[in-house]
Amino acid sequence: MKKLEIIIKPEKLERVKKILDENGATGAMISNIMGYGNQKGYQTTYRGSQMMINLLPKIKIETVMTDQATENLISALEEYLSSDKVGAGKIFLYDVADAVRLRTGERGEQAL
């Protein structure tokens, strides 16, 4: 099993949720986060003063999937999210040793 952390721009959320559903995700946790990457934010003027905005709004989606479903999901997300622009997002993968469904006691992939 793999845990995926998917960092995206907020406007991409609805389509990414649909891609998750289409590729067998059985659930997801979604958080509003702030962060920066290579783009380092942007400069703006507020009431005549220059300000550096270096934390940008992002969405973090966390899900756990089987190993075989993970590669299909990554391919679908890359196809939709790839961009020449900085800040398109990232996907982080982690190995998951086990999972337990508390209601039934099921373990491993059956707990997903």
Side-chain angles (χ1 to χ4, degrees):
M1 293 178 293
K2 300 282 189 208
K3 176 182 178 184
L4 289 85
E5 282 186 7
I6 306 160
I7 311 296
I8 59 170
K9 292 181 178 182
E11 60 268 19
K12 303 287 187 175
L13 178 60
E14 290 306 314
R15 178 70 178 121
V16 169
K17 287 189 327 188
K18 186 175 181 187
I19 291 170
L20 286 168
D21 290 341
E22 291 169 351
N23 286 276
T26 58
M29 295 168 284
I30 299 172
S31 305
N32 286 308
I33 61 172
M34 300 288 283
Y36 71 92
N38 291 330
Q39 77 270 30
K40 306 288 189 237
Y42 61 93
Q43 195 166 17
T44 188
T45 303
Y46 179 72
R47 294 187 178 183
S49 298
Q50 291 287 335
M51 296 178 63
M52 183 63 184
I53 308 298
N54 60 358
L55 294 176
L56 303 173
K58 302 287 183 180
I59 299 287
K60 179 168 74 170
I61 303 166
E62 299 173 87
T63 189
V64 177
M65 301 183 73
T66 64
D67 290 340
Q68 56 197 137
T70 297
E71 288 307 316
N72 293 335
L73 175 61
I74 290 172
S75 294
L77 288 171
E78 280 181 318
E79 187 176 315
Y80 173 63
L81 295 171
S82 66
S83 171
D84 292 337
K85 297 181 182 177
V86 175
K90 290 214 173 39
I91 301 173
F92 299 100
L93 296 170
Y94 305 93
D95 287 321
V96 175
D98 202 2
V100 179
R101 180 175 292 169
L102 296 175
R103 179 176 53 86
T104 63
E106 292 173 293
R107 295 185 76 123
E109 290 181 6
Q110 290 76 31
L112 298 179

